[in-house]
Amino acid sequence: MILETNNNSMAGFKKSRLANDSGVTSPHSPKNLPSDMELMKEKFAKLLLGEDMSGGGKGVSSALALSNAITNLSASVFGEMKRLEPMSAERKEKWRKEIGWLLSVTDHIVEFVPCKQKSKDGTNMEVMVTKQRSDLQMNIPALRKLDAMLIDCLDGLNDQHEFSYVSKDDESEEGKNSRKDDKWWIPTPKVPPNGLSDFMRKWLRCQKDSVNQVHKAAMAINSQVLSEMAIPESYIESLPKNGRASLGDSIYKSITEEYFDPDYFFTMMDMSSEHKILDLKDRIEASVVIWRRKMNAKDGKSSWGSTVSFEKRGIFEERAEVVLLILKQHFPGISQSTLDISKIQYNKDVGQAVLESYSRIIESRAFTIMSRIEDVLQADAMAQNPSNGAAKRPLSDKEEAGKLNSADNGAAMTLLDFIGWTPDQESDYTKKDLKEDPTKDIDTKIKCKAPNIVTNKRFSYLENLGMCRSPTARH
């Protein structure tokens, strides 16, 4: 009996080896690809474990794990989007399926609301029932719509044959059309000798305007969610005790002068690199936090108290907010600030984590699509007028963003419209500038001051995030 069992085992072992050698049961066979249920189990297991696959309880919070999952999914599906081309059906299906899994968590984040019910005996009574949290109920469908608009924009390129991209194997074309700007790794668009047709040119401009509105809407939602997140204590403990120490003497003097001119302020700042722009943003955000805490502690005996009057501190804070608003408008592709990374890392609200990460990846993707459309339009302009086109270099991402945000027609919505900024909310010293055009002259001055800024690093948050871990520091 034992001998028979052993013989059967050996026969089975030989059969198994033969099967593997022939490739029938190879793990890479389409028959052995994981099913949707298995993929879903794996994703939600990582979320439950907080990305600590050892199960030792050292993982990140559920909110951060879900934020990382959405960010990493976007990076794996869309990547850098170096070319303006439609998505493959496989990638599109993967995105819609897996982002739907991750967003399904928000269906179960509820709040109690009063509701009137009628009992069997006809008595009316008020009871508490659950419904999806109001911020999620309003913003998740809006973000899904924005997401679908970007995919539809790319799908519209299915039947286009008017432009292509220079192949790296074609040395003659590569040398003729190679980039000489800060986006050297992005393929160069190639258009017909006489340029694009009128229909294609108008269609691309229309798509650029549409994507620009998607970008602004996603940016507004992301900014609103980040502003509602609690500021971590670890960030507050790292701040100096006053705004002057955070800003430095020169910046502090510019903001606290009796008359504050945003135009003049930006001409005085060194904005020759992304690092310096990000440092300015970090300093101003830190000063805003310091001034707000001092205003809240004005009646107490907190160490944050100061001899500066409550009214003046409020004016300083509003001026700093104006500077931050202009920075966000002109440099939308700038990396995450220290305050933003700290908020995302220590945030415990799962709903806010989903809204922040989903709006951030939509904002980043819209910005990238606008850049790729601008590349094609620039190549078209050079083909139509080679003499002028040769003198023009392709716009950097910073310049594209500034052009798109400052050159809109009066009928087009701006970021101020999305965030609800009205002239009534402005103080006297900024009312005139912001009512006419808050960035009209600043855009020109910033471009003259910083011609070589690289701001196409929205995905650099992945570097800070360590792909799957919490953002401990900015590199």
Side-chain angles (χ1 to χ4, degrees):
M1 186 70 177
I2 296 176
L3 181 59
E4 182 181 355
T5 303
N6 290 337
N7 289 336
N8 291 336
S9 298
M10 290 298 294
F13 175 72
K14 292 178 180 179
K15 182 178 180 181
S16 175
R17 289 197 59 183
L18 289 172
N20 287 334
D21 291 340
S22 64
V24 174
T25 58
S26 171
H28 300 289
S29 172
K31 295 181 180 179
N32 292 327
L33 290 177
S35 63
D36 288 351
M37 181 61 69
E38 290 172 342
L39 288 173
M40 186 185 298
K41 287 179 180 179
E42 180 184 358
K43 283 191 173 292
F44 281 94
K46 290 180 180 179
L47 296 178
L48 291 172
L49 293 171
E51 300 171 354
D52 178 16
M53 306 312 290
S54 68
K58 299 179 181 179
V60 299
S61 65
S62 299
L64 183 56
L66 193 54
S67 175
N68 291 349
I70 294 175
T71 304
N72 294 336
L73 174 62
S74 176
S76 66
V77 173
F78 297 103
E80 291 188 71
M81 297 183 66
K82 297 180 181 180
R83 300 170 184 263
L84 185 63
E85 58 187 6
M87 294 177 63
S88 65
E90 180 182 356
R91 286 197 304 147
K92 199 186 311 181
E93 177 63 23
K94 174 182 172 65
W95 170 252
R96 287 173 174 168
K97 177 175 60 180
E98 297 192 18
I99 195 65
W101 293 346
L102 297 176
L103 295 180
S104 65
V105 176
T106 60
D107 296 335
H108 305 279
I109 301 177
V110 297
E111 60 185 358
F112 284 102
V113 294
C115 178
K116 291 184 178 182
Q117 288 187 357
K118 196 170 186 178
S119 62
K120 294 181 179 180
D121 60 359
T123 305
N124 291 324
M125 56 184 178
E126 189 175 76
V127 297
M128 300 298 289
V129 297
T130 60
K131 73 165 189 174
Q132 188 180 25
R133 211 168 71 184
S134 57
D135 59 334
L136 301 174
Q137 189 178 27
M138 177 176 61
N139 289 318
I140 291 295
L143 290 173
R144 280 185 174 274
K145 179 63 176 177
L146 297 177
D147 188 5
M149 289 173 65
L150 294 181
I151 295 177
D152 290 343
C153 173
L154 296 177
D155 286 345
L157 297 165
N158 276 319
D159 299 325
Q160 82 80 22
H161 304 287
E162 295 196 29
F163 66 87
S164 58
Y165 286 86
V166 176
S167 173
K168 292 184 178 180
D169 298 331
D170 191 343
E171 297 181 357
S172 60
E173 290 292 341
E174 180 70 16
K176 186 188 302 183
N177 298 304
S178 60
R179 288 179 176 274
K180 296 180 175 58
D181 65 334
D182 50 22
K183 297 185 290 184
W184 55 267
W185 68 93
I186 303 296
T188 306
K190 181 180 179 181
V191 300
N194 296 327
L196 301 172
S197 65
D198 291 339
F199 174 80
M200 176 57 70
R201 189 180 301 111
K202 291 178 181 178
W203 185 83
L204 284 175
R205 289 172 178 169
C206 179
Q207 292 302 306
K208 186 180 72 171
D209 293 340
S210 176
V211 174
N212 188 26
Q213 297 306 317
V214 172
H215 177 262
K216 289 181 179 180
M219 181 192 296
I221 294 175
N222 185 262
S223 299
Q224 179 65 27
V225 174
L226 282 172
S227 68
E228 293 175 356
M229 287 185 179
I231 301 175
E233 287 297 326
S234 59
Y235 177 83
I236 295 175
E237 292 172 358
S238 67
L239 296 177
K241 293 299 181 182
N242 56 67
R244 180 189 290 270
S246 173
L247 294 172
D249 291 338
S250 60
I251 301 178
Y252 181 81
K253 182 179 179 181
S254 299
I255 291 181
T256 58
E257 284 181 340
E258 183 176 356
Y259 176 75
F260 175 67
D261 182 8
D263 295 9
Y264 180 74
F265 175 84
F266 278 102
T267 60
M268 296 297 293
M269 296 298 104
D270 181 6
M271 306 179 72
S272 57
S273 68
E274 181 185 3
H275 174 75
K276 292 179 179 179
I277 298 173
L278 190 59
D279 180 67
L280 175 63
K281 184 179 179 181
D282 284 339
R283 288 173 178 270
I284 294 179
E285 284 184 338
S287 65
V288 170
V289 174
I290 293 171
W291 285 329
R292 283 180 180 173
R293 288 183 63 84
K294 286 186 175 183
M295 291 171 66
N296 294 333
K298 66 183 181 65
D299 295 327
K301 297 182 179 180
S302 169
S303 60
W304 290 86
S306 174
T307 57
V308 179
S309 67
F310 179 87
E311 291 77 10
K312 283 187 177 181
R313 190 171 291 112
I315 293 175
F316 299 161
E317 180 195 345
E318 290 179 6
R319 292 176 176 180
E321 291 284 1
V322 171
V323 173
L324 286 176
L325 176 64
I326 296 174
L327 282 175
K328 289 178 181 178
Q329 283 183 308
H330 284 272
F331 307 104
I334 202 75
S335 302
Q336 294 274 351
S337 66
T338 302
L339 177 58
D340 291 344
I341 293 175
S342 183
K343 284 183 173 183
I344 295 170
Q345 178 181 355
Y346 293 98
N347 171 53
K348 303 298 182 183
D349 190 306
V350 175
Q352 287 184 336
V354 173
L355 289 176
E356 190 282 326
S357 57
Y358 195 26
S359 61
R360 169 163 42 83
I361 62 175
I362 292 175
E363 176 188 342
S364 174
R365 188 160 22 115
F367 179 74
T368 304
I369 293 175
M370 284 193 294
S371 300
R372 301 294 83 82
I373 294 177
E374 188 64 33
D375 290 343
V376 176
L377 292 176
Q378 178 68 21
D380 174 58
M382 293 176 66
Q384 287 182 304
N385 195 344
S387 58
N388 293 338
K392 294 182 180 179
R393 62 173 176 83
L395 297 178
S396 68
D397 286 343
K398 184 273 300 186
E399 292 167 329
E400 289 169 6
K403 180 179 178 182
L404 288 168
N405 282 297
S406 62
D408 289 338
N409 295 329
M413 295 186 69
T414 65
L415 180 59
L416 297 180
D417 300 322
F418 277 103
I419 64 177
W421 187 290
T422 61
D424 295 337
Q425 294 172 304
E426 303 165 17
S427 54
D428 293 335
Y429 59 86
T430 60
K431 185 175 295 183
K432 180 179 179 180
D433 294 331
L434 289 178
K435 185 180 295 182
E436 296 174 355
D437 188 347
T439 59
K440 180 177 180 181
D441 297 326
I442 300 174
D443 186 46
T444 303
K445 295 180 180 180
I446 290 178
K447 287 182 181 178
C448 296
K449 186 75 174 179
N452 297 320
I453 296 173
V454 182
T455 60
N456 56 331
K457 294 187 178 179
R458 192 62 175 177
F459 277 105
S460 62
Y461 174 69
L462 290 174
E463 301 170 4
N464 299 320
L465 206 59
M467 288 301 293
C468 292
R469 289 295 176 188
S470 57
T472 55
R474 187 177 71 255
H475 298 287

